[in-house]
Amino acid sequence: MKRYLLLIGFIVAAVCSSLSAQDKIGLQSNATVLGILQGSAGKTVELRLNSGEKIGGKGAQVTDQVVHLSNLTGAEYFDGFINTKDISAVVIRTGGK
C-alpha cells in the first residue's frame, strides 16, 4: 500500500511540475510588447501605462495601434481599448491559480 501511495505521489508531483513549466514565458531577443500581448491572447494580463495607471483584463485582440481587453478587472462587464503607445509594461500571471 505504501508503494502505491508513493508512486501516486511521484506521478502527481511530475504532472504538477510539467504543468507549471508550460506556463513559463520565454523572452526572445527580438521580443516586443506587442508580440508578448499577441502571444498571451486569451490570458488575463495587466497593463502598466505610461501615466502610472494599471488596467487588467483578458487579452482579446492586438493590432499595431490598439489592444482590446475584455472582462476588465473590477469592471467585468466592460471592455477596454488601449493605445499601444501608452503601454510601458505587461504583467502576466504564470503560476498558481
Side-chain angles (χ1 to χ4, degrees):
M1 186 67 170
K2 282 186 177 180
R3 289 183 188 177
Y4 291 118
L5 289 176
L6 189 59
L7 179 62
I8 290 172
F10 281 126
I11 291 171
V12 168
V15 168
C16 289
S17 66
S18 69
L19 287 177
S20 68
Q22 291 174 353
D23 287 343
K24 299 287 183 200
I25 297 173
L27 183 62
Q28 304 295 324
S29 61
N30 58 350
T32 64
V33 169
L34 290 177
I36 292 169
L37 284 168
Q38 288 169 342
S40 61
K43 294 182 181 178
T44 300
V45 298
E46 182 179 86
L47 303 178
R48 307 283 170 103
L49 305 180
N50 294 331
S51 65
E53 289 185 70
K54 300 181 222 178
I55 187 166
K58 187 177 284 190
Q61 203 170 15
V62 180
T63 68
D64 290 340
Q65 303 295 318
V66 177
V67 175
H68 174 209
L69 294 181
S70 63
N71 300 331
L72 294 179
T73 304
E76 284 72 20
Y77 298 107
F78 295 90
D79 287 2
F81 298 88
I82 299 92
N83 187 336
T84 57
K85 294 176 184 173
D86 293 333
I87 301 171
S88 61
V90 178
V91 179
I92 304 169
R93 184 174 181 165
T94 59
K97 295 258 175 180

